[in-house]
Amino acid sequence: MTDLAMRVAPARSEMLRRAAPALLGYVAVRALGLLALTLWSAARGKDAYTLLTARWDALWYTRVAELGYGYEVRLPNGDVHSNLAFFPLLPWLERLVAEVSPLSYADGGFAVSLLASLAAAWGIFAVADHVYGRRVGVCAVVLWAVLPVGIVQSMAYSESLFTALAAWSLYALLTGRWLTAGTLALLAGLTRPVGLAVVAAVWAAGVAALVRDRGAGRSPDADAPARAPGTPVRLVLGMLLAPLGAAGYVLWVGHRTGKGPLGYLDVQAGWRNGFDGGYAFARFVAEKFTSFPSALAGVGLLVGVGLVIRLYVVCVRQRQPLPLLVYAGVVTALALCASSYFGSKPRLLLPAFPLLLPLAQPLARLRTRGAALLVGAVAVGSAVYGAFWLNGSGPP
């Protein structure tokens, strides 16, 4: 064993020990959510495992894993739903699990999601702990776990996998590991279209570091990550690696469809997905106010959007590190300003965990007993809502 390996192993062990309370809290919340889903589904004569692994997007991912790309559904209104809309990393992992174990593709998706959700929780803790300290890190993880749509973290969807890659890429940026950050950004870009947010964070941090170094030699900023010999080369390589995943898949889809570099946009248009600056979403909300019962839903939507925007403003005022601000800003903008299915917007915001840090800080200042009671009550509400949601309209 080399000296380097001997130095790295204890560091990782210490990181895991430090994160243990956060991970235990996360597992407890998610177990409660799965228990509530199991009981609710059984009462309604449904199978909870099927809801988690074999409905909505989970079916599309398993089809890609089993049959590859090329499957599409043509709807009576002329829309074409192609599986090219789904990025390949999760199906690749599902196929890998199925090939090396007796698990099915759907089982593989569930296993990957469970492991990735733990990795995501650990990554969120690492970022929050690095910026604000251990107690805030624990609170940030449990807040992410108790989100109303937190049940998605346990589904055979790509949100958990993407959040894990994004969180650890951001942590690598905060600690000056440029090649690691770029590699994880590449993988995030192979997971979801919002991988662009991770790429933007890598580029923003890289450009800022290069400008800072050029203007002042070595930055005196105490918050800047430590620099090692050869850092500029690794920094540039990390920046070059970051967009290769998303760009590579988008260009491949364009070649596959014969429609050039913008072919992926045509695939998304077949799903009625696009970026219109929020016009379609604003019109959707406005239509809720045409009658009294739906007006209450309209008010709820406005309150929810206002809260998200307010949290981002607080993040800016608290001067979160640039990579976190860029990442959270891009994720939020893509979620709120896309013309996709509006019921999916809370799920699309799930990876924007830096928005939770302004809430985690006051929670961390509470006494342990008070914080545990508050989080426990919210966790019960989240578990019940998740069970109700998946047995009803669900994600997709």
Side-chain angles (χ1 to χ4, degrees):
M1 181 179 291
T2 65
D3 291 340
L4 177 61
M6 294 180 67
R7 290 196 300 270
V8 170
R12 290 177 179 172
S13 175
E14 171 62 21
M15 286 180 64
L16 181 58
R17 184 197 65 78
R18 188 172 178 84
L23 297 179
L24 290 173
Y26 179 79
V27 169
V29 172
R30 289 275 38 89
L32 177 62
L34 292 175
L35 175 62
L37 176 64
T38 301
L39 295 176
W40 193 298
S41 301
R44 293 177 58 88
K46 295 184 179 181
D47 180 56
Y49 190 69
T50 298
L51 295 177
L52 294 170
T53 63
R55 291 187 69 187
W56 305 297
D57 289 6
L59 283 175
W60 287 90
Y61 282 119
T62 55
R63 287 193 186 108
V64 173
E66 182 177 7
L67 304 174
Y69 285 105
Y71 177 83
E72 63 183 28
V73 175
R74 294 183 178 272
L75 304 183
N77 65 357
D79 289 345
V80 178
H81 289 183
S82 169
N83 65 359
L84 290 169
F86 295 87
F87 277 49
L89 185 57
L90 178 57
W92 285 348
L93 293 175
E94 290 179 350
R95 179 177 293 180
L96 176 63
V97 171
E99 289 181 351
V100 301
S101 73
L103 298 178
S104 68
Y105 296 109
D107 295 336
F110 183 65
V112 169
S113 181
L114 288 184
L115 293 175
S117 68
L118 286 172
W122 190 4
I124 291 170
F125 171 83
V127 170
D129 179 32
H130 181 81
V131 179
Y132 294 113
R134 186 183 190 185
R135 194 172 176 90
V136 173
V138 173
C139 291
V141 169
V142 295
L143 285 175
W144 190 65
V146 302
L147 289 172
V149 295
I151 190 65
V152 174
Q153 298 162 15
S154 302
M155 297 179 68
Y157 271 40
S158 60
E159 273 76 11
S160 290
L161 178 60
F162 174 78
T163 305
L165 294 169
W168 284 108
S169 179
L170 292 171
Y171 179 74
L173 288 175
L174 295 176
T175 54
R177 296 173 172 87
W178 297 101
L179 284 177
T180 300
T183 301
L184 292 173
L186 183 157
L187 294 173
L190 287 170
T191 307
R192 297 185 61 79
V194 75
L196 293 174
V198 191
V199 176
V202 172
W203 274 72
V207 170
L210 291 173
V211 170
R212 183 172 57 243
D213 283 355
R214 184 175 181 179
R218 294 300 181 196
S219 171
D221 186 356
D223 294 331
R227 304 294 175 83
T231 291
V233 174
R234 293 195 294 271
L235 186 157
V236 172
L237 287 176
M239 293 175 65
L240 294 176
L241 279 172
L244 294 183
Y249 181 68
V250 167
L251 291 175
W252 179 81
V253 170
H255 175 74
R256 173 75 178 251
T257 60
K259 296 183 178 180
L262 301 181
Y264 183 76
L265 297 181
D266 290 335
V267 170
Q268 286 286 5
W271 286 81
R272 298 292 180 99
N273 291 336
F275 189 87
D276 62 0
Y279 172 75
F281 185 43
R283 188 175 60 184
F284 172 78
V285 174
E287 290 174 353
K288 295 295 182 182
F289 291 93
T290 57
S291 62
F292 173 71
S294 64
L296 297 177
V299 171
L301 288 170
L302 289 177
V303 170
V305 172
L307 176 61
V308 169
I309 295 174
R310 172 63 179 170
L311 287 174
Y312 186 73
V313 171
V314 174
C315 292
V316 174
R317 289 179 175 175
Q318 291 182 345
R319 301 184 67 180
Q320 282 188 10
L322 179 63
L324 302 189
L325 293 176
V326 171
Y327 168 76
V330 175
V331 172
T332 302
L334 290 176
L336 296 182
C337 297
S339 59
S340 57
Y341 176 67
F342 303 117
S344 294
K345 291 195 179 293
R347 174 172 66 86
L348 299 179
L349 285 166
L350 195 60
F353 67 89
L355 297 180
L356 297 174
L357 298 183
L359 300 176
Q361 294 172 66
L363 181 62
R365 290 193 288 268
L366 296 177
R367 293 181 180 273
T368 301
R369 179 181 176 84
L373 289 174
L374 178 59
V375 169
V378 176
V380 170
S382 174
V384 172
Y385 178 78
F388 167 78
W389 191 45
L390 284 198
N391 278 277
S393 60

